[in-house]
Amino acid sequence: MTDDRTSSKAQRTVIIVGVDGSEDGLRAARYAAGSAIKRDADLIVLHAVDDAAVAGAWGVVYDPTALQDAGQVVVDDAIHVATERGMDPDRISGEVVLGNPAAILADRSADAQLVVLGRRATSGLERMFVGSTSVAVAGMSAAPVVVISRASTPDPTGGKKCVAVAVGPQSVGTAAVGFGFAEADHRGCKLLAVTVPGNDSEEVHDEALKRLNEVVKPLANKHPHVEVETRVLSGEPVDALVDLSGNVDLLVIGMKKHPILGWTAGGVSRAIMAHAQSPLAICH
């Protein structure tokens, strides 16, 4: 006989937000709280103290207890933001753990439906590197990852009433499309499915639209209440999708699996992560 408490725990929906004490981390906590409310989910606020920080430069060794205490302040601040957003305090838990932040978040993602992170790199040369934790987690996470920046998205999201999902011209996976439909369903908003063939000829656009509709149709049938629009965008993929991100509440992209390296953020994914004007969801 199955224990009801064990069964309930196994079936619960969980969202994890990684926080680091930055304003972007607090923005991520606010976004994660909103997502948890829409999904009737529990929220885990996680702060990872990089074990490399314990042994600092010049042979300085930091007190793990002090780092734990400082981390707890970071977690408490994020929990406060989440409760201000309207999250039930009884459904929020906070953790401070020692270890590599990306590895810990990736490991914990196996028990979550969504992972939310702040994006700290906001301008200049920093944009080329996005944020090593964001890139690493996006590549290793078992759950979809949402990356959000306070600089590009300072206000609450949802006002544009549209979630967009990008489908690659040769894509065979539907994880991103499925997540996009589910997100639009949670929000009660429109889903815009786009593809960017990179060739602006009429023939290529017609073929790209036909293929896009073929990818979208099966999932549209599973979400009959979601209004769907399909569209072929002109220009280079990065420019087109970054421009689009300024007009939607969330942009969803897929990440390809490298035959040797596994899931990795390629040039297009990294560029969109660096320059997106809306929260960005990455799915495998």
PDB file of all heavy atoms in Angstrom, residues 191-213:
ATOM      1  N   LEU A 191      -0.333  31.820 -28.524  1.00  0.00           N
ATOM      2  CA  LEU A 191       0.973  31.253 -28.840  1.00  0.00           C
ATOM      3  C   LEU A 191       1.323  31.620 -30.275  1.00  0.00           C
ATOM      4  O   LEU A 191       0.546  31.370 -31.206  1.00  0.00           O
ATOM      5  CB  LEU A 191       0.979  29.736 -28.707  1.00  0.00           C
ATOM      6  CG  LEU A 191       2.325  29.081 -29.083  1.00  0.00           C
ATOM      7  CD1 LEU A 191       3.379  29.396 -28.040  1.00  0.00           C
ATOM      8  CD2 LEU A 191       2.188  27.571 -29.253  1.00  0.00           C
ATOM      9  N   LEU A 192       2.487  32.208 -30.446  1.00  0.00           N
ATOM     10  CA  LEU A 192       3.008  32.544 -31.773  1.00  0.00           C
ATOM     11  C   LEU A 192       4.165  31.605 -32.074  1.00  0.00           C
ATOM     12  O   LEU A 192       5.195  31.650 -31.398  1.00  0.00           O
ATOM     13  CB  LEU A 192       3.482  34.000 -31.810  1.00  0.00           C
ATOM     14  CG  LEU A 192       4.221  34.453 -33.075  1.00  0.00           C
ATOM     15  CD1 LEU A 192       3.330  34.328 -34.306  1.00  0.00           C
ATOM     16  CD2 LEU A 192       4.729  35.884 -32.911  1.00  0.00           C
ATOM     17  N   ALA A 193       4.005  30.720 -33.058  1.00  0.00           N
ATOM     18  CA  ALA A 193       5.069  29.791 -33.454  1.00  0.00           C
ATOM     19  C   ALA A 193       5.743  30.340 -34.697  1.00  0.00           C
ATOM     20  O   ALA A 193       5.080  30.658 -35.693  1.00  0.00           O
ATOM     21  CB  ALA A 193       4.487  28.412 -33.737  1.00  0.00           C
ATOM     22  N   VAL A 194       7.067  30.477 -34.639  1.00  0.00           N
ATOM     23  CA  VAL A 194       7.794  31.087 -35.753  1.00  0.00           C
ATOM     24  C   VAL A 194       8.946  30.198 -36.196  1.00  0.00           C
ATOM     25  O   VAL A 194       9.429  29.349 -35.448  1.00  0.00           O
ATOM     26  CB  VAL A 194       8.359  32.479 -35.370  1.00  0.00           C
ATOM     27  CG1 VAL A 194       7.241  33.402 -34.893  1.00  0.00           C
ATOM     28  CG2 VAL A 194       9.450  32.357 -34.307  1.00  0.00           C
ATOM     29  N   THR A 195       9.369  30.417 -37.416  1.00  0.00           N
ATOM     30  CA  THR A 195      10.577  29.784 -37.919  1.00  0.00           C
ATOM     31  C   THR A 195      11.322  30.816 -38.761  1.00  0.00           C
ATOM     32  O   THR A 195      10.708  31.721 -39.336  1.00  0.00           O
ATOM     33  CB  THR A 195      10.258  28.518 -38.750  1.00  0.00           C
ATOM     34  OG1 THR A 195      11.464  27.815 -39.037  1.00  0.00           O
ATOM     35  CG2 THR A 195       9.551  28.860 -40.053  1.00  0.00           C
ATOM     36  N   VAL A 196      12.644  30.703 -38.799  1.00  0.00           N
ATOM     37  CA  VAL A 196      13.480  31.658 -39.538  1.00  0.00           C
ATOM     38  C   VAL A 196      14.377  30.862 -40.480  1.00  0.00           C
ATOM     39  O   VAL A 196      15.455  30.406 -40.087  1.00  0.00           O
ATOM     40  CB  VAL A 196      14.338  32.519 -38.591  1.00  0.00           C
ATOM     41  CG1 VAL A 196      14.937  33.702 -39.365  1.00  0.00           C
ATOM     42  CG2 VAL A 196      13.545  33.004 -37.399  1.00  0.00           C
ATOM     43  N   PRO A 197      13.969  30.686 -41.742  1.00  0.00           N
ATOM     44  CA  PRO A 197      14.755  29.839 -42.648  1.00  0.00           C
ATOM     45  C   PRO A 197      16.083  30.437 -43.080  1.00  0.00           C
ATOM     46  O   PRO A 197      16.976  29.717 -43.542  1.00  0.00           O
ATOM     47  CB  PRO A 197      13.819  29.653 -43.846  1.00  0.00           C
ATOM     48  CG  PRO A 197      12.903  30.830 -43.803  1.00  0.00           C
ATOM     49  CD  PRO A 197      12.715  31.146 -42.353  1.00  0.00           C
ATOM     50  N   GLY A 198      16.248  31.763 -42.914  1.00  0.00           N
ATOM     51  CA  GLY A 198      17.509  32.398 -43.300  1.00  0.00           C
ATOM     52  C   GLY A 198      17.627  32.663 -44.789  1.00  0.00           C
ATOM     53  O   GLY A 198      18.636  33.180 -45.260  1.00  0.00           O
ATOM     54  N   ASN A 199      16.617  32.305 -45.528  1.00  0.00           N
ATOM     55  CA  ASN A 199      16.547  32.569 -46.973  1.00  0.00           C
ATOM     56  C   ASN A 199      15.198  33.210 -47.229  1.00  0.00           C
ATOM     57  O   ASN A 199      14.157  32.647 -46.885  1.00  0.00           O
ATOM     58  CB  ASN A 199      16.688  31.253 -47.747  1.00  0.00           C
ATOM     59  CG  ASN A 199      16.678  31.451 -49.255  1.00  0.00           C
ATOM     60  OD1 ASN A 199      15.923  32.257 -49.783  1.00  0.00           O
ATOM     61  ND2 ASN A 199      17.511  30.684 -49.951  1.00  0.00           N
ATOM     62  N   ASP A 200      15.204  34.398 -47.815  1.00  0.00           N
ATOM     63  CA  ASP A 200      13.971  35.162 -47.928  1.00  0.00           C
ATOM     64  C   ASP A 200      13.213  34.952 -49.230  1.00  0.00           C
ATOM     65  O   ASP A 200      12.334  35.748 -49.579  1.00  0.00           O
ATOM     66  CB  ASP A 200      14.268  36.655 -47.740  1.00  0.00           C
ATOM     67  CG  ASP A 200      14.684  36.975 -46.309  1.00  0.00           C
ATOM     68  OD1 ASP A 200      14.357  36.170 -45.411  1.00  0.00           O
ATOM     69  OD2 ASP A 200      15.335  38.002 -46.089  1.00  0.00           O
ATOM     70  N   SER A 201      13.544  33.914 -49.973  1.00  0.00           N
ATOM     71  CA  SER A 201      12.798  33.658 -51.213  1.00  0.00           C
ATOM     72  C   SER A 201      11.387  33.187 -50.882  1.00  0.00           C
ATOM     73  O   SER A 201      11.148  32.537 -49.862  1.00  0.00           O
ATOM     74  CB  SER A 201      13.512  32.607 -52.067  1.00  0.00           C
ATOM     75  OG  SER A 201      13.362  31.321 -51.519  1.00  0.00           O
ATOM     76  N   GLU A 202      10.454  33.495 -51.763  1.00  0.00           N
ATOM     77  CA  GLU A 202       9.057  33.130 -51.534  1.00  0.00           C
ATOM     78  C   GLU A 202       8.886  31.615 -51.442  1.00  0.00           C
ATOM     79  O   GLU A 202       8.127  31.106 -50.608  1.00  0.00           O
ATOM     80  CB  GLU A 202       8.195  33.691 -52.667  1.00  0.00           C
ATOM     81  CG  GLU A 202       6.702  33.449 -52.464  1.00  0.00           C
ATOM     82  CD  GLU A 202       5.857  34.087 -53.553  1.00  0.00           C
ATOM     83  OE1 GLU A 202       6.409  34.888 -54.352  1.00  0.00           O
ATOM     84  OE2 GLU A 202       4.646  33.797 -53.609  1.00  0.00           O
ATOM     85  N   GLU A 203       9.603  30.891 -52.285  1.00  0.00           N
ATOM     86  CA  GLU A 203       9.501  29.440 -52.289  1.00  0.00           C
ATOM     87  C   GLU A 203       9.959  28.846 -50.959  1.00  0.00           C
ATOM     88  O   GLU A 203       9.313  27.945 -50.401  1.00  0.00           O
ATOM     89  CB  GLU A 203      10.341  28.855 -53.432  1.00  0.00           C
ATOM     90  CG  GLU A 203      10.273  27.341 -53.526  1.00  0.00           C
ATOM     91  CD  GLU A 203      11.119  26.785 -54.658  1.00  0.00           C
ATOM     92  OE1 GLU A 203      11.714  27.598 -55.415  1.00  0.00           O
ATOM     93  OE2 GLU A 203      11.213  25.557 -54.776  1.00  0.00           O
ATOM     94  N   VAL A 204      11.073  29.340 -50.441  1.00  0.00           N
ATOM     95  CA  VAL A 204      11.598  28.850 -49.164  1.00  0.00           C
ATOM     96  C   VAL A 204      10.629  29.184 -48.030  1.00  0.00           C
ATOM     97  O   VAL A 204      10.365  28.353 -47.148  1.00  0.00           O
ATOM     98  CB  VAL A 204      12.994  29.446 -48.883  1.00  0.00           C
ATOM     99  CG1 VAL A 204      13.421  29.157 -47.447  1.00  0.00           C
ATOM    100  CG2 VAL A 204      14.015  28.879 -49.856  1.00  0.00           C
ATOM    101  N   HIS A 205      10.075  30.380 -48.047  1.00  0.00           N
ATOM    102  CA  HIS A 205       9.126  30.784 -47.004  1.00  0.00           C
ATOM    103  C   HIS A 205       7.878  29.907 -47.028  1.00  0.00           C
ATOM    104  O   HIS A 205       7.368  29.506 -45.976  1.00  0.00           O
ATOM    105  CB  HIS A 205       8.743  32.251 -47.179  1.00  0.00           C
ATOM    106  CG  HIS A 205       9.668  33.194 -46.465  1.00  0.00           C
ATOM    107  ND1 HIS A 205       9.222  34.234 -45.685  1.00  0.00           N
ATOM    108  CD2 HIS A 205      11.017  33.221 -46.394  1.00  0.00           C
ATOM    109  CE1 HIS A 205      10.256  34.883 -45.169  1.00  0.00           C
ATOM    110  NE2 HIS A 205      11.364  34.291 -45.601  1.00  0.00           N
ATOM    111  N   ASP A 206       7.362  29.627 -48.224  1.00  0.00           N
ATOM    112  CA  ASP A 206       6.164  28.792 -48.340  1.00  0.00           C
ATOM    113  C   ASP A 206       6.424  27.391 -47.784  1.00  0.00           C
ATOM    114  O   ASP A 206       5.594  26.833 -47.070  1.00  0.00           O
ATOM    115  CB  ASP A 206       5.723  28.701 -49.807  1.00  0.00           C
ATOM    116  CG  ASP A 206       5.123  30.013 -50.318  1.00  0.00           C
ATOM    117  OD1 ASP A 206       4.811  30.877 -49.478  1.00  0.00           O
ATOM    118  OD2 ASP A 206       4.992  30.158 -51.550  1.00  0.00           O
ATOM    119  N   GLU A 207       7.592  26.836 -48.122  1.00  0.00           N
ATOM    120  CA  GLU A 207       7.931  25.497 -47.641  1.00  0.00           C
ATOM    121  C   GLU A 207       8.144  25.504 -46.126  1.00  0.00           C
ATOM    122  O   GLU A 207       7.736  24.569 -45.419  1.00  0.00           O
ATOM    123  CB  GLU A 207       9.195  25.004 -48.346  1.00  0.00           C
ATOM    124  CG  GLU A 207       9.616  23.584 -47.977  1.00  0.00           C
ATOM    125  CD  GLU A 207       8.562  22.545 -48.328  1.00  0.00           C
ATOM    126  OE1 GLU A 207       7.833  22.743 -49.333  1.00  0.00           O
ATOM    127  OE2 GLU A 207       8.454  21.539 -47.582  1.00  0.00           O
ATOM    128  N   ALA A 208       8.772  26.566 -45.615  1.00  0.00           N
ATOM    129  CA  ALA A 208       9.022  26.687 -44.174  1.00  0.00           C
ATOM    130  C   ALA A 208       7.708  26.800 -43.403  1.00  0.00           C
ATOM    131  O   ALA A 208       7.554  26.197 -42.333  1.00  0.00           O
ATOM    132  CB  ALA A 208       9.907  27.893 -43.888  1.00  0.00           C
ATOM    133  N   LEU A 209       6.754  27.546 -43.943  1.00  0.00           N
ATOM    134  CA  LEU A 209       5.460  27.698 -43.273  1.00  0.00           C
ATOM    135  C   LEU A 209       4.699  26.373 -43.271  1.00  0.00           C
ATOM    136  O   LEU A 209       4.080  26.005 -42.256  1.00  0.00           O
ATOM    137  CB  LEU A 209       4.632  28.777 -43.963  1.00  0.00           C
ATOM    138  CG  LEU A 209       3.271  29.084 -43.319  1.00  0.00           C
ATOM    139  CD1 LEU A 209       3.453  29.550 -41.877  1.00  0.00           C
ATOM    140  CD2 LEU A 209       2.525  30.133 -44.142  1.00  0.00           C
ATOM    141  N   LYS A 210       4.761  25.657 -44.371  1.00  0.00           N
ATOM    142  CA  LYS A 210       4.098  24.361 -44.452  1.00  0.00           C
ATOM    143  C   LYS A 210       4.659  23.408 -43.398  1.00  0.00           C
ATOM    144  O   LYS A 210       3.909  22.731 -42.685  1.00  0.00           O
ATOM    145  CB  LYS A 210       4.287  23.770 -45.849  1.00  0.00           C
ATOM    146  CG  LYS A 210       3.694  22.381 -46.015  1.00  0.00           C
ATOM    147  CD  LYS A 210       3.986  21.829 -47.410  1.00  0.00           C
ATOM    148  CE  LYS A 210       3.467  20.398 -47.547  1.00  0.00           C
ATOM    149  NZ  LYS A 210       3.787  19.825 -48.882  1.00  0.00           N
ATOM    150  N   ARG A 211       5.971  23.380 -43.288  1.00  0.00           N
ATOM    151  CA  ARG A 211       6.607  22.484 -42.327  1.00  0.00           C
ATOM    152  C   ARG A 211       6.310  22.912 -40.887  1.00  0.00           C
ATOM    153  O   ARG A 211       6.079  22.079 -40.008  1.00  0.00           O
ATOM    154  CB  ARG A 211       8.120  22.462 -42.563  1.00  0.00           C
ATOM    155  CG  ARG A 211       8.780  21.362 -41.777  1.00  0.00           C
ATOM    156  CD  ARG A 211      10.268  21.249 -42.059  1.00  0.00           C
ATOM    157  NE  ARG A 211      10.793  20.219 -41.200  1.00  0.00           N
ATOM    158  CZ  ARG A 211      10.936  20.355 -39.885  1.00  0.00           C
ATOM    159  NH1 ARG A 211      10.626  21.493 -39.316  1.00  0.00           N
ATOM    160  NH2 ARG A 211      11.390  19.360 -39.145  1.00  0.00           N
ATOM    161  N   LEU A 212       6.313  24.213 -40.644  1.00  0.00           N
ATOM    162  CA  LEU A 212       6.001  24.731 -39.313  1.00  0.00           C
ATOM    163  C   LEU A 212       4.590  24.311 -38.898  1.00  0.00           C
ATOM    164  O   LEU A 212       4.368  23.871 -37.760  1.00  0.00           O
ATOM    165  CB  LEU A 212       6.135  26.256 -39.297  1.00  0.00           C
ATOM    166  CG  LEU A 212       5.796  26.966 -37.991  1.00  0.00           C
ATOM    167  CD1 LEU A 212       6.717  26.514 -36.865  1.00  0.00           C
ATOM    168  CD2 LEU A 212       5.896  28.485 -38.173  1.00  0.00           C
ATOM    169  N   ASN A 213       3.646  24.433 -39.807  1.00  0.00           N
ATOM    170  CA  ASN A 213       2.265  24.040 -39.504  1.00  0.00           C
ATOM    171  C   ASN A 213       2.167  22.547 -39.194  1.00  0.00           C
ATOM    172  O   ASN A 213       1.388  22.128 -38.332  1.00  0.00           O
ATOM    173  CB  ASN A 213       1.341  24.401 -40.670  1.00  0.00           C
ATOM    174  CG  ASN A 213       1.057  25.891 -40.731  1.00  0.00           C
ATOM    175  OD1 ASN A 213       0.973  26.549 -39.701  1.00  0.00           O
ATOM    176  ND2 ASN A 213       0.926  26.429 -41.934  1.00  0.00           N
TER     177      ASN A 213
END
